[in-house]
Amino acid sequence: LNLCLVVTTASPHRMIEYDGGIFGVAHVCRIRGSVFPKAGFIALPNALLAVALHIYFQHEGNVAWRDWFGGAELLWGSYTSLLGFLIVFRSNQAYNRFWDGA
């Protein structure tokens, strides 16, 4: 039985070298290696749809739609409260794990 581990050092994907610039934050405005183009591709159409729906539902002629969405404020408040609690809880867990490992 011959078990052999082969490690290759040549990789087609190399690390992206960043230049921090004068204040060390010049890489924030770069597109290459950033997640912002992919995230923007997903987020921008949804944001435009949300703005269009907001403008449509705020128009005075759409009173029936406002009655139908009457409880949205309560749902939105409950959702943001729950989301805030989960973010704080997860951040606290991550902070404790960091100090356990340090």
Side-chain angles (χ1 to χ4, degrees):
L1 183 66
N2 185 6
L3 297 175
C4 181
L5 179 64
V6 177
V7 178
T8 60
T9 58
S11 173
H13 305 290
R14 294 178 30 172
M15 290 290 292
I16 298 172
E17 305 256 343
Y18 292 104
D19 179 22
I22 296 171
F23 296 108
V25 293
H27 63 279
V28 173
C29 299
R30 303 248 168 120
I31 296 295
R32 185 172 174 251
S34 177
V35 298
F36 288 119
K38 187 181 279 188
F41 181 72
I42 295 170
L44 189 62
N46 292 311
L48 292 175
L49 178 65
V51 168
L53 287 174
H54 178 74
I55 291 170
Y56 177 74
F57 288 129
Q58 292 301 319
H59 192 266
E60 292 298 324
N62 298 317
V63 177
W65 284 102
R66 263 194 248 150
D67 292 339
W68 194 67
F69 283 111
E73 292 87 8
L74 177 64
L75 290 174
W76 184 251
S78 302
Y79 173 73
T80 54
S81 299
L82 179 66
L83 187 62
F85 174 76
L86 290 175
I87 289 173
V88 169
F89 179 73
R90 293 289 303 234
S91 297
N92 191 22
Q93 276 189 328
Y95 184 72
N96 288 333
R97 285 186 195 146
F98 171 78
W99 284 113
D100 287 343

